[in-house]
Amino acid sequence: MAESAIEPHERAADQGGHPAQPEQAACTDAGPGEAGSAAVKTEESATLEIAPPGEAPERVVWTPGFIVVFALTLGLGLSAECLLTNGWLAHLYGGNWPLLAHLAALLLLWLGLLVRGRTAWVRLGAIFGCLWACFASLNLLFNLRASAQPAAVAYLNASGNLSLLGMYLCFATERARSPRWDTWFFALALLGGSGAVLLDYWLTSPDQRSLVTIADAIAGLALWLGLLIWWLRPACWRLHPGPTLLFGLFPTIILLLSIPGITNSFNNLFFLQVADLCLLLGGLRILQAQRVLS
């Protein structure tokens, strides 16, 4: 066995050369073209090891779930409001029932925000939102009755708008405070609002002055203050542009529809539903912000 193992080396030494290694022999025998092709094959094998064939990189477009929910709520909400308004035009139901359905959805949203809220301001605003939904629902139910007292309707309207103002104050000042600006703004709003109510009372003819006049003036003033709280405070536009736009649209639509002769009953019902939809979308945005905080 030892002789057979030594014999090949002796034969190679007898031929006057050294034993060549397999790799060296391959490189010596191969021509320039074959060497280049071998190098290409080596690079290709390395590339294949990094990116195996048949596996292309996947590009996934990730859309947050909130954007999908928001877009579906907006699209389906506008479609449903058109159908509900046409159903009212066809005398299938009274005009207040679609608005009551919107208020029920808003009440559920404020209750959800009360449970899922992470800050005291948001929870307090959700409580005011629930009060507003209850007062607005009672107001609509009173309007369904033919014998509804104008005084009761005026008081419910004023209570609902004041609750809406309280909700706006809590949501607008949550993480969007500007001490110097807010001090001047709320001081002027308090003085100007009180003066506007007194001026409206004194400008009313003496035979028509009553608590109903004051209640109507307070209801209108609450809508104006709610609009100004969102749209006149730079901190709201800087930190909460989405809710600022949506929450400000609600009192804007209500105030525009209160102008006599500006629209008909069909458009009035439709835009009242659009105003409620703006509140719903703004509430969803606040709820999403609270989920992010958690």
Side-chain angles (χ1 to χ4, degrees), residues 21-39 41:
Q21 298 297 329
E23 294 82 1
Q24 294 176 354
C27 293
T28 304
D29 297 335
E34 295 179 359
S37 61
K41 290 180 180 179

Side-chain angles (χ1 to χ4, degrees), residues 1-23:
M1 297 294 291
E3 295 177 357
S4 62
I6 298 173
E7 184 177 2
H9 298 279
E10 294 176 353
R11 293 178 180 175
D14 294 339
Q15 295 176 0
H18 297 282
Q21 298 297 329
E23 294 82 1

Side-chain angles (χ1 to χ4, degrees), residues 36 38 78 109 151 168 175 212 215 220 223 227 245 250 292:
L78 291 175
L109 175 62
Y168 276 11
R175 296 191 304 144
V212 176
L223 290 176
L227 173 63
L245 175 63
F250 179 83
V292 172

Side-chain angles (χ1 to χ4, degrees), residues 135-209:
F135 284 128
S137 300
L138 289 176
N139 192 3
L140 292 176
L141 291 175
F142 267 90
N143 287 328
L144 290 175
R145 300 175 54 185
S147 59
Q149 296 293 329
V153 174
Y155 298 152
L156 286 173
N157 192 26
S159 302
N161 289 353
L162 288 175
S163 300
L164 180 71
L165 178 61
M167 181 184 72
Y168 276 11
L169 279 172
C170 296
F171 288 163
T173 56
E174 197 268 334
R175 296 191 304 144
R177 300 184 184 93
S178 180
R180 184 176 180 181
W181 174 272
D182 290 346
T183 300
W184 284 101
F185 176 79
F186 289 117
L188 292 175
L190 180 61
L191 294 176
S194 301
V197 172
L198 292 176
L199 182 63
D200 182 77
Y201 181 78
W202 288 110
L203 290 179
T204 306
S205 58
D207 57 337
Q208 295 181 354
R209 292 175 184 173

Side-chain angles (χ1 to χ4, degrees), residues 89-102:
L89 189 62
H91 304 288
L92 298 179
Y93 39 76
N96 289 342
W97 292 111
L99 298 177
L100 286 171
H102 283 72

Side-chain angles (χ1 to χ4, degrees), residues 30-52:
E34 295 179 359
S37 61
V40 172
K41 290 180 180 179
T42 304
E43 294 178 358
E44 290 179 353
S45 62
T47 306
L48 293 177
E49 290 177 0
I50 297 174

Side-chain angles (χ1 to χ4, degrees), residues 7 13 25 30 47 57 64 66 86 88 116 135 153 170 179-180 227 232 243 251-252 274 291:
E7 184 177 2
T47 306
F66 171 72
N86 286 314
W88 169 81
R116 298 297 299 272
F135 284 128
V153 174
C170 296
R180 184 176 180 181
L227 173 63
L232 282 188
T252 301
V274 171
R291 290 182 59 190

